[in-house]
Amino acid sequence: MELSAESSQENLAKSTEEKHESHTGKPAKAWRKNNAKNHHETSHKPGTANNAEEEDMTLLKYLALNALELGSPASGLPLKFSSNETSGWLQLSGHPDSFAIAGPGTIWKKTTLEDGEIRVYEALQQQKNDPAYCIVPKFYRKVEFKSELFIELEDLLSDFNDPFVMDIKMGTRTFLESEVSRTNARPDLYQKMVRVDSNAPTQEEHKAQAVTKLRYMRFREQQSSTSTLGFRIEAMKMKGCEPVRDLQKVCSQRDVQAVLSLFLQGKEQNKQSLLKRLKKIRTAFEESNFFKYNEVVGSSLLLVRENAKVGAWLIDFAKARSSDIPLDHRSPWCDGNHEEGFLFGLDTLIEVREFAL
């Protein structure tokens, strides 16, 4: 998908929403907001200073295509919003009700003993000399509440009021090796594939009307920039606007640069601040002994900007798994090598951002 000056953004946005509904049965803009009026409707009126944000949102809608139930869930992220009339919290992405605001500067995130989140945070808490300790949210404790398990984490947005926020899913592989261990071909996955692209299955797969889980997962990753760039933009929130989530099919480097430029608002200072932080994350990850022996499938980079204040952190470790062999996080994946391409994606993201303005 390439941007074209002659294209009608509004018509494409409308067709995008129709495609999304036909595939998922759900509206394209399914934002969850608690106890608040629509801030976008109340604050964006003709002739106001918000016209620039409205134009930005039009472009984002132009770029937003239907989500494809991609392998890893989007990052859960509660966002604070405020205006002259209302304030409250909404969740940018992820599973509904997975967060609770714990208190000043902290949040509770729902978890289980089985996922990798607790293990990663507890390990880094015990290894504060590991360079990666400074690129993830601070971990405070585990909390049991009403028979459910939570972890209390640093609220990364507590120092911001109404920031620009972007969630970027990292890596070239978004599924665990255990998820594709079965080699039996499945008719249901074939049907999902042909609903997206009827020409995608091979002749043999068309004849069998079935595909393996690995084949389907790889196909889904090819629908986004995951397989080519090593990352995909999951969601984005502009200042004073509701989030746009269906950005997973922003595939080409040109389109990715367009979205990143919106985030940076065309300011060189913002770009340089973010590049500095991304390079610090890369160095810390490369030098981390912990991540040398841990794959980070489905983890995200959370980018936050308000005026000239910029932040970036590595989040989401539900699918993190330890490895008995050292990983470079750049090599192509093959079964058993545990490589997920995190650093490959970060290298590409830094390169793309250097030319984003």
Side-chain angles (χ1 to χ4, degrees):
M1 180 183 70
E2 297 293 338
L3 296 176
S4 170
E6 293 78 15
S7 297
S8 168
Q9 295 181 353
E10 292 184 0
N11 289 340
L12 185 53
K14 181 178 180 181
S15 66
T16 290
E17 295 176 6
E18 291 173 350
K19 288 179 182 178
H20 183 95
E21 292 186 22
S22 67
H23 281 298
T24 66
K26 299 178 181 179
K29 296 180 290 182
W31 314 129
R32 180 176 181 274
K33 184 182 291 187
N34 291 327
N35 302 321
K37 296 179 181 179
N38 190 312
H39 176 60
H40 183 68
E41 293 179 355
T42 58
S43 61
H44 288 214
K45 299 177 181 179
T48 69
N50 287 317
N51 287 343
E53 280 92 349
E54 288 180 345
E55 293 176 2
D56 289 341
M57 289 300 293
T58 301
L59 179 55
L60 283 175
K61 290 174 183 175
Y62 169 78
L63 293 168
L65 293 178
N66 55 294
L68 295 173
E69 299 176 343
L70 295 171
S72 297
S75 306
L77 177 64
L79 295 179
K80 183 180 180 181
F81 67 91
S82 61
S83 70
N84 293 332
E85 300 182 17
T86 185
S87 63
W89 293 88
L90 58 84
Q91 191 169 318
L92 176 63
S93 54
H95 299 295
D97 303 318
S98 58
F99 282 90
I101 306 306
T106 66
I107 59 173
W108 286 3
K109 182 178 182 181
K110 189 181 296 184
T111 187
T112 67
L113 291 174
E114 290 74 29
D115 72 27
E117 203 99 57
I118 295 176
R119 183 183 64 83
V120 170
Y121 282 118
E122 287 186 331
L124 288 176
Q125 183 71 19
Q126 296 170 6
Q127 303 174 37
K128 293 183 179 181
N129 291 330
D130 190 292
Y133 177 76
C134 66
I135 64 174
V136 303
K138 290 185 177 64
F139 169 77
Y140 295 102
R141 57 176 179 148
K142 292 183 290 188
V143 181
E144 290 188 24
F145 182 71
K146 292 185 177 179
S147 302
E148 292 187 308
L149 183 61
F150 296 82
I151 51 176
E152 186 169 349
L153 299 172
E154 174 189 8
D155 178 5
L156 299 174
L157 303 180
S158 62
D159 292 333
F160 297 88
N161 182 34
D162 187 14
F164 291 67
V165 183
M166 182 177 288
D167 173 9
I168 302 180
K169 187 70 66 178
M170 300 299 297
T172 55
R173 174 169 61 93
T174 59
F175 55 87
L176 294 172
E177 293 181 352
S178 59
E179 294 180 85
V180 296
S181 58
R182 295 184 180 181
T183 58
N184 59 302
R186 292 170 48 181
D188 61 320
L189 298 181
Y190 170 83
Q191 293 298 328
K192 287 185 177 182
M193 179 182 287
V194 296
R195 279 200 296 269
V196 175
D197 184 355
S198 60
N199 296 319
T202 64
Q203 289 185 348
E204 291 77 10
E205 289 167 342
H206 274 307
K207 185 177 180 179
Q209 294 195 348
V211 296
T212 65
K213 181 71 174 291
L214 175 59
R215 170 77 169 95
Y216 178 66
M217 298 295 276
R218 284 314 217 182
F219 164 75
R220 291 197 301 184
E221 291 175 340
Q222 292 167 0
Q223 307 310 300
S224 71
S225 58
T226 292
S227 61
T228 55
L229 301 181
F231 67 86
R232 69 173 186 252
I233 299 175
E234 285 283 324
M236 180 175 174
K237 180 188 178 299
M238 306 290 284
K239 180 180 179 180
C241 301
E242 291 207 6
V244 174
R245 288 181 58 191
D246 298 340
L247 293 170
Q248 295 97 330
K249 287 197 71 176
V250 175
C251 294
S252 74
Q253 183 165 320
R254 180 183 174 185
D255 290 346
V256 169
Q257 286 175 334
V259 177
L260 296 179
S261 293
L262 285 179
F263 180 83
L264 296 170
Q265 291 289 281
K267 296 181 180 179
E268 183 67 23
Q269 180 182 356
N270 296 339
K271 170 184 161 181
Q272 294 303 324
S273 296
L274 189 53
L275 280 172
K276 181 178 180 180
R277 177 61 178 172
L278 291 177
K279 290 177 180 179
K280 180 177 181 179
I281 291 174
R282 179 169 64 182
T283 299
F285 196 95
E286 288 175 327
E287 295 177 353
S288 169
N289 188 66
F290 176 79
F291 283 120
K292 185 177 182 178
Y293 291 93
N294 279 270
E295 58 179 296
V296 286
V297 173
S299 293
S300 287
L301 285 179
L302 172 65
L303 312 183
V304 186
R305 183 186 71 78
E306 188 167 43
N307 301 319
K309 186 177 182 180
V310 176
W313 296 269
L314 177 58
I315 62 172
D316 288 346
F317 303 107
K319 288 191 174 185
R321 298 292 185 270
S322 61
S323 169
D324 55 357
I325 56 176
L327 308 176
D328 62 39
H329 302 281
R330 289 187 174 96
S331 297
W333 172 73
C334 63
D335 189 23
N337 75 353
H338 301 291
E339 295 288 352
E340 83 296 269
F342 175 86
L343 283 175
F344 170 81
L346 185 51
D347 291 340
T348 309
L349 178 61
I350 290 172
E351 179 182 351
V352 169
R353 282 201 179 278
E354 287 178 334
F355 299 99
L357 294 182

